[in-house]
Amino acid sequence: DAGITQSPRYKITETGRQVTLMCHQTWSHSYMFWYRQDLGHGLRLIYYSAAADITDKGEVPDGYVVSRSKTENFPLTLESATRSQTSVYFCASSESRVRGTEAFFGQGTRLTVV
Amino acid sequence: RKEVEQDPGPFNVPEGATVAFNCTYSNSASQSFFWYRQDCRKEPKLLMSVYSSGNEDGRFTAQLNRASQYISLLIRDSKLSDSATYLCVVAGSARQLTFGSGTQLTVLP
């Protein structure tokens, strides 16, 4: 199906483990984003990418790594998970050619670090 | 100071009421403006873009005042299905979206 999908939808991991959250979009959108959503903070940008092999830090990048070897995939890796990284993670994509165009979000990954 | 600030809410209104949400942003270089809607435990979805000339989509009207760096959303004739969190969103030149914390709306029967 066309769209933007995230996997897994739910994940429980232990402190110190490496975790990778996957994001895949079928629209060939140039821009992709990772956000985390926490009570009291709203959605905060972790990393974004303007195209394959181009990534940049957002507001809260510490403890996260991203890569974008293909336009359609934008995985987010927590190198050594901490309890403070318990959150809901949303991936999004946006078409670059038209200014003001909307971003489309995946359904989210609920990550719990114990 | 947060880049995007919204009314804290929550707003509890009866069906049929008119409700207004306000938002201010701090970056005068911001280029695009939106209202997103987020249902409980779901992903945000675009409600409408916001233009300086103002725009209307059915019962929803959005306004942008660039000089005051102020964005508003008006919902007329509220429906139960309008219950959600409304997110004020501002975009920069790199298309990254900055979100307000959201305003929760509950429409009561």
Side-chain angles (χ1 to χ4, degrees):
Chain A
D1 290 344
I4 182 165
T5 55
Q6 294 182 232
S7 61
R9 293 290 310 281
Y10 302 89
K11 176 74 177 179
I12 300 174
T13 192
E14 294 178 339
T15 301
R17 298 259 189 186
Q18 183 180 83
V19 177
T20 296
L21 310 183
M22 306 301 292
C23 179
H24 175 79
Q25 53 107 353
T26 60
W27 294 302
S28 298
H29 284 169
S30 297
Y31 283 85
M32 296 189 74
F33 311 88
W34 275 107
Y35 290 86
R36 60 177 289 174
Q37 186 171 33
D38 306 288
L39 280 175
H41 289 282
L43 284 117
R44 292 180 292 173
L45 181 65
I46 305 171
Y47 269 95
Y48 65 101
S49 169
D53 297 321
I54 301 174
T55 62
D56 210 344
K57 294 178 180 180
E59 181 185 353
V60 289
D62 293 343
Y64 302 95
V65 174
V66 292
S67 61
R68 188 130 179 246
S69 57
K70 293 184 177 181
T71 299
E72 61 267 29
N73 296 323
F74 191 38
L76 176 73
T77 297
L78 287 68
E79 296 181 291
S80 178
T82 64
R83 289 196 179 90
S84 65
Q85 292 177 309
T86 293
S87 187
V88 180
Y89 291 84
F90 287 103
C91 178
S93 71
S94 178
E95 175 54 56
S96 68
R97 290 177 296 176
V98 179
R99 185 169 292 175
T101 191
E102 69 180 290
F104 296 88
F105 285 79
Q107 292 179 293
T109 295
R110 298 185 180 279
L111 176 68
T112 302
V113 183
V114 298
Chain B
R1 181 187 172 191
K2 289 185 178 180
E3 280 195 51
V4 181
E5 299 209 50
Q6 293 185 239
D7 285 348
F11 285 63
N12 298 313
V13 303
E15 270 188 290
T18 295
V19 59
F21 301 140
N22 303 312
C23 168
T24 57
Y25 61 96
S26 60
N27 186 350
S28 59
S30 299
Q31 299 188 354
S32 306
F33 309 88
F34 310 91
W35 284 100
Y36 274 69
R37 169 190 169 132
Q38 186 173 26
D39 294 296
C40 187
R41 302 175 76 82
K42 296 287 185 73
E43 73 274 22
K45 292 184 179 179
L46 179 70
L47 177 65
M48 56 197 308
S49 300
V50 189
Y51 306 111
S52 296
S53 55
N55 49 303
E56 187 174 310
D57 183 3
R59 297 180 293 108
F60 298 84
T61 300
Q63 293 276 355
L64 166 66
N65 185 323
R66 283 188 180 270
S68 302
Q69 295 180 201
Y70 172 91
I71 305 164
S72 66
L73 176 69
L74 185 74
I75 305 175
R76 291 181 299 278
D77 189 22
S78 299
K79 311 290 185 192
L80 295 176
S81 58
D82 293 334
S83 296
T85 296
Y86 290 83
L87 302 165
C88 179
V89 184
V90 173
S93 58
R95 306 294 188 272
Q96 72 273 28
L97 304 179
T98 301
F99 287 78
S101 297
T103 302
Q104 186 177 345
L105 172 67
T106 301
V107 181
L108 304 168

